[in-house]
Amino acid sequence: MSIKKIVITKGIYENKDLRLLVSFDENDSPLDIINLDNTQIGTVCTATVEKVISDIDSCICKLSIGEKGFIESKKLFPEYYLVRHSDKKKVCQGDQFYVVITQDKKGSKPFSCNFVKHLIDDNKNNGFIYHYINEYASSDYEIVSDLEEVISMDLNVRTYTDESYSLWNLYDLTKLLKNITSNVCHLKDGGNIVIEPTEALTVIDVNSSKNHGKGTAFDTNKQAIDEVIKQIRLRSISGIIIIDMLKVSKDEEQELIRYFKDNSNDDISNVSVHGFTHLGLLEITRSRNFSSVF
């Protein structure tokens, strides 16, 4: 499952102006939905150290975009600093260097950053779109866009020019947004999953619903896993995820764990399957990359 097509356009959803990047696989199934106004990933900026945290060997920086950034000390290269205050210490308060944002902030937490040794060509090809293409897209990707700022980029962009039917409507992005904001997702054989985010974790409930009597609990659970893998990526769900599966045998639980691991390998975030609890709840975690659309 590779990223073949990327649609970048703007539109209005529930009275909100949105600039979206939506990627699709070879079957035109959506993979990622990113609000370009909600992410700073790929942005290269200057970082000034505000606080060195020795306990976790890292530091908090003030970024030139006006936000806080976090970087591990092991990622720093003092010989490439813009400003250095000590030849003996690897990092000190007031030291200054370039960084690239690699992970959006969550709540009051700072952005995660990586060190940039030096800028190339004034780093004109920085920003999220270039980052996304370089990190995730297949070599034969194509961007389709009607936005001038995207069309002018040094990328493989096909300009969409049909003024009678918008690019937003062509890919039915309103329907796609409605789907990822609904807490109920239907399975092909009549079951469903209910996604309930909370402050600490995300809970997903698997229901047989109309599927009762038409298939086994194991089959419904496999369908649910397929949908969960799809939805947590589309919705940028991260952190702890608890899935209340239909009751199956211990052997089938192990098979479901293997199935989840095998089918989540294409996710651009790290997905870890920790197994079933004594109460039959499947525990997984997913690393955070992008901010959610809203």
Side-chain angles (χ1 to χ4, degrees), residues 5 15 22 30 56 67 100 108 129 131 172 177 184 192 236 241-242 246 252-253 256 258 264 289:
K5 182 187 296 181
N15 298 319
V22 185
I56 56 174
E67 299 280 358
V100 58
S108 60
I129 295 174
H131 170 84
D172 207 357
L177 291 172
V184 179
N192 64 59
S236 295
I241 303 167
I242 303 296
L246 300 179
E252 288 175 324
E253 284 184 351
L256 289 172
R258 288 192 293 271
S264 60
N289 275 357

Side-chain angles (χ1 to χ4, degrees), residues 218 221-222 225 246-259 276:
F218 179 77
N221 282 340
K222 286 184 68 175
I225 287 173
L246 300 179
K247 182 68 175 178
V248 293
S249 69
K250 294 298 182 182
D251 288 342
E252 288 175 324
E253 284 184 351
Q254 294 306 308
E255 191 169 341
L256 289 172
I257 291 172
R258 288 192 293 271
Y259 185 80
F276 282 87

Side-chain angles (χ1 to χ4, degrees), residues 2-278:
S2 57
I3 296 171
K4 294 287 189 179
K5 182 187 296 181
I6 299 168
V7 173
I8 305 176
T9 188
K10 63 182 179 181
I12 299 174
Y13 180 74
E14 294 188 347
N15 298 319
K16 295 179 181 178
D17 291 317
L18 299 174
R19 286 193 312 133
L20 297 183
L21 180 153
V22 185
S23 60
F24 298 84
D25 64 15
E26 56 273 15
N27 298 315
D28 266 353
S29 296
L31 297 172
D32 299 306
I33 308 174
I34 294 103
N35 184 342
L36 294 175
D37 295 321
N38 276 3
T39 184
Q40 292 285 356
I41 292 176
T43 299
V44 175
C45 52
T46 304
T48 303
V49 177
E50 287 192 339
K51 183 179 181 181
V52 178
I53 310 174
S54 301
D55 292 347
I56 56 174
D57 200 22
S58 60
C59 53
I60 301 295
C61 303
K62 177 68 177 295
L63 306 180
S64 56
I65 61 171
E67 299 280 358
K68 301 286 187 182
F70 172 89
I71 188 167
E72 296 174 293
S73 298
K74 66 182 181 181
K75 296 180 179 179
L76 301 176
F77 295 88
E79 62 270 29
Y80 293 101
Y81 285 7
L82 301 175
V83 177
R84 188 179 183 187
H85 289 84
S86 173
D87 292 332
K88 296 181 179 180
K89 295 182 178 180
K90 189 173 186 178
V91 60
C92 296
Q93 186 176 4
D95 286 350
Q96 196 173 87
F97 39 79
Y98 292 122
V99 296
V100 58
I101 295 173
T102 57
Q103 187 179 87
D104 283 324
K105 65 179 182 178
K106 184 176 183 179
S108 60
K109 294 181 179 179
F111 290 97
S112 294
C113 303
N114 278 344
F115 191 85
V116 174
K117 292 181 179 179
H118 50 77
L119 302 186
I120 302 173
D121 295 333
D122 295 326
N123 216 64
K124 64 180 182 179
N125 290 349
N126 82 82
F128 179 78
I129 295 174
Y130 284 106
H131 170 84
Y132 189 84
I133 296 297
N134 292 333
E135 292 293 325
Y136 309 121
S138 61
S139 58
D140 57 345
Y141 77 90
E142 178 188 54
I143 296 174
V144 183
S145 182
D146 53 1
L147 303 182
E148 185 56 42
E149 65 266 28
V150 177
I151 295 168
S152 61
M153 288 180 169
D154 185 21
L155 294 168
N156 182 25
V157 183
R158 174 163 60 87
T159 305
Y160 185 81
T161 58
D162 188 350
E163 296 182 0
S164 65
Y165 200 71
S166 71
L167 187 57
W168 181 281
N169 289 334
L170 179 65
Y171 284 89
D172 207 357
L173 298 188
T174 296
K175 180 180 179 181
L176 184 57
L177 291 172
K178 285 182 179 179
N179 288 341
I180 68 164
T181 52
S182 172
N183 66 336
V184 179
C185 300
H186 297 282
L187 307 178
K188 62 182 180 180
D189 286 344
N192 64 59
I193 61 172
V194 180
I195 303 172
E196 296 286 356
T198 70
E199 187 70 24
L201 48 80
T202 300
V203 178
I204 301 177
D205 190 30
V206 180
N207 299 303
S208 58
S209 189
K210 296 178 182 179
N211 190 43
H212 183 69
K214 296 181 181 179
T216 67
F218 179 77
D219 291 336
T220 300
N221 282 340
K222 286 184 68 175
Q223 290 180 32
I225 287 173
D226 290 335
E227 191 63 26
V228 167
I229 290 170
K230 174 183 176 181
Q231 292 298 326
I232 61 176
R233 180 170 176 176
L234 282 172
R235 299 170 188 235
S236 295
I237 294 173
S238 59
I240 301 171
I241 303 167
I242 303 296
I243 309 173
D244 187 4
M245 311 285 275
L246 300 179
K247 182 68 175 178
V248 293
S249 69
K250 294 298 182 182
D251 288 342
E252 288 175 324
E253 284 184 351
Q254 294 306 308
E255 191 169 341
L256 289 172
I257 291 172
R258 288 192 293 271
Y259 185 80
F260 205 122
K261 289 180 177 179
D262 291 343
N263 287 276
S264 60
N265 288 332
D266 289 327
D267 197 322
I268 58 179
S269 294
N270 293 322
V271 177
S272 299
V273 183
H274 301 282
F276 282 87
T277 69
H278 292 300

